[in-house]
Amino acid sequence: MTIHKASPLGGRLASWPVLLLAPLVVICAVLILRRLLFGIGAVAALNGGYPWGLWIAFDLLVGTGFACGGWALAWAVYVFNRGEYHPLVRPALLASLFGYSLGGLSITIDVGRYWNLPYFYIPGFFNTSSVLFETAVCMTIYIGVMALEFLPVLFERLGWQVALKRLNKVMFFIISLGALLPTMHQSSMGSLMIAAGYKVHPLWQSYELLPLLSLLTAFIMGFSIVTFEGALVQAGLRGRGADERPLFTRLSRITEVLLVLFLAVRFGEILWQHKTSYLFNGDRFAIMFWCETALMALPLLLLRLPGARQDARYLFLGGLSMLSGAALWRLSYSLLAFNPGGGYHYFPATQEVLISIGFVAIEVCAYLLLIRLLPVLPALQGVHQHYQAEVEHEPTHHH
């Protein structure tokens, strides 16, 4: 496989996916403004028993999990010296930057008195005994680190070679931080619900292993999203880019090991703590557990079929299944399997759902726009440039 340096994809900025998703972006922006002006009750169904809901469970915990592609590849490429995955780093890093930024935005709009957020950055007001504080600090710094890691892409596009060389001299330190920080806050995201104690269903509550399970799902989602997004991008390129299926095949083997480890720890904890009776109650929690387990185990069987690892369709389905299983586990321990008692109930309001959908639309639109403008995707020699020249000479093309 002959892969050359990344180049802008080119083409129309106002493509049909962008035009289709643009109204959702506008609706999201209007609803966020409404929340900031009229209070969180104007758009959310949160209450005293459920101080956080969809924005934290999905937008933050699941969203940042989906955004772990850049971090997972950083471990593979820079920590374990697997340089063959380097062409996948930039697309994954761009998706991670958007995912974490929107996760941070979801925290901002979820805070009741958001005007007090500046106190978080003032040393005299640090609450160092809080898991939330550690998570917020790591996330804030990591977003800045990812922006620095992505700067070479912008410098290349602008032709700032001197600035690029200077940045590369300290890039080893930036990458080291980028590998460390998510390891800390992704495990802490599991620690968040330890304090909830018996309010989290026993199948998901684990005082010893929630941080480890959260970290494992971060790795699983990180490698899976690279395969999932890569398959979508390659389908969109229709042969105009480098064929990266061999890389996705290798990543699938790494992810399989993580899946087996996750399932072994999960079932081992259940057996050790004598929770097996909950598995066969026939209630919604048992159904959720087996759905989650089936989604995690399906790729282990699917990718064993003859030729499946070389077939982009099987790799796509395997990645989607792993993402869905890990996402369901995170949604369950943070929201679906949480019962505060006291007669409290929660179901997200329509506005909450629209804001969450809008976040996804923002990320997709921004990703599509930037891969057309900046050297993000790896390409065969001259492919992207040739395609861009063809499009620019079309009489109906407008930037």
Side-chain angles (χ1 to χ4, degrees):
M1 180 176 61
T2 305
I3 296 180
H4 297 267
K5 65 183 297 184
S7 63
L9 179 60
R12 296 183 59 183
L13 296 182
S15 57
W16 71 263
V18 173
L19 295 176
L20 182 65
L21 295 174
L24 297 175
V25 175
V26 174
I27 292 172
C28 177
V30 171
L31 290 176
I32 290 176
L33 181 62
R34 176 179 171 83
R35 178 266 173 272
L36 296 177
L37 292 177
F38 300 105
I40 197 168
V43 297
L46 301 175
N47 52 57
Y50 289 89
W52 66 36
L54 187 66
W55 295 338
I56 298 299
F58 178 77
D59 298 353
L60 177 64
L61 297 181
V62 175
T64 58
F66 286 173
C68 279
W71 165 68
L73 284 178
W75 273 89
V77 174
Y78 301 111
V79 178
F80 293 104
N81 200 28
R82 307 293 295 187
E84 66 267 28
Y85 299 117
H86 195 272
L88 304 178
V89 170
R90 284 188 175 182
L93 182 61
L94 178 61
S96 296
L97 182 57
F98 285 129
Y100 266 92
S101 298
L102 293 174
L105 179 60
S106 70
I107 295 176
T108 301
I109 65 172
D110 191 76
V111 173
R113 299 178 180 179
Y114 60 88
W115 53 85
N116 287 331
L117 280 173
Y119 288 105
F120 167 73
Y121 300 97
I122 301 175
F125 293 90
F126 286 175
N127 182 7
T128 54
S129 61
S130 170
V131 176
L132 279 172
F133 175 78
E134 187 268 345
T135 302
V137 168
C138 287
M139 279 190 60
T140 303
I141 298 174
Y142 183 55
I143 292 171
V145 167
M146 282 191 293
L148 291 174
E149 287 180 319
F150 195 73
L151 267 184
V153 179
L154 183 60
F155 288 172
E156 283 183 20
R157 185 70 175 88
L158 297 174
W160 294 357
Q161 296 302 320
V162 176
L164 181 60
K165 290 179 180 178
R166 291 177 178 175
L167 181 60
N168 284 336
K169 291 180 180 179
V170 297
M171 188 57 73
F172 73 94
F173 176 71
I174 297 172
I175 291 172
S176 299
L177 276 178
L180 173 65
L181 291 171
T183 307
M184 297 168 63
H185 68 247
Q186 285 295 337
S187 61
S188 295
M189 286 179 182
S191 303
L192 288 176
M193 297 307 290
I194 290 178
Y198 66 89
K199 295 179 180 180
V200 176
H201 192 276
L203 285 176
W204 287 270
Q205 181 60 278
S206 174
Y207 300 108
E208 299 86 6
L209 296 177
L210 259 183
L212 174 60
L213 291 170
S214 179
L215 188 61
L216 285 173
T217 55
F219 272 114
I220 291 169
M221 295 168 87
F223 286 125
S224 300
I225 197 69
V226 172
T227 303
F228 177 78
E229 291 178 341
L232 287 178
V233 170
Q234 295 231 317
L237 290 178
R238 298 175 184 175
R240 297 194 300 269
D243 186 2
E244 296 168 348
R245 281 178 296 176
L247 295 179
F248 299 145
T249 299
R250 296 173 193 171
L251 281 181
S252 69
R253 292 193 176 97
I254 297 175
T255 316
E256 278 188 349
V257 175
L258 295 168
L259 280 173
V260 171
L261 182 58
F262 175 85
L263 292 173
V265 172
R266 187 96 162 86
F267 277 93
E269 192 271 341
I270 289 172
L271 290 171
W272 183 262
Q273 298 294 336
H274 307 291
K275 301 177 182 177
T276 52
S277 60
Y278 295 105
L279 300 177
F280 308 102
N281 281 347
D283 57 9
R284 68 182 181 92
F285 299 108
I287 294 172
M288 283 162 44
F289 174 88
W290 288 114
C291 287
E292 165 199 310
T293 302
L295 288 168
M296 290 284 209
L298 178 62
L300 299 176
L301 303 174
L302 186 66
L303 297 178
R304 287 285 184 276
L305 297 175
R309 293 187 189 277
Q310 287 72 44
D311 192 322
R313 293 170 297 180
Y314 284 103
L315 291 172
F316 173 82
L317 291 174
L320 179 61
S321 182
M322 289 183 278
L323 284 172
S324 302
L328 181 56
W329 180 82
R330 290 196 167 201
L331 280 174
S332 296
Y333 88 81
S334 62
L335 185 62
L336 300 179
F338 175 74
N339 182 8
Y344 285 106
H345 299 282
Y346 167 78
F347 191 84
T350 302
Q351 295 95 323
E352 284 180 83
V353 176
L354 288 174
I355 288 176
S356 294
I357 293 174
F359 281 166
V360 176
I362 291 170
E363 182 173 358
V364 173
C365 288
Y367 186 90
L368 292 175
L369 292 175
L370 288 185
I371 63 174
R372 293 185 181 278
L373 295 172
L374 299 176
V376 175
L377 298 180
L380 294 172
Q381 182 65 38
V383 172
H384 290 175
Q385 294 88 339
H386 176 69
Y387 171 68
Q388 184 177 13
E390 285 183 345
V391 175
E392 287 175 350
H393 283 87
E394 289 180 5
T396 57
H397 174 71
H398 299 284
H399 283 290

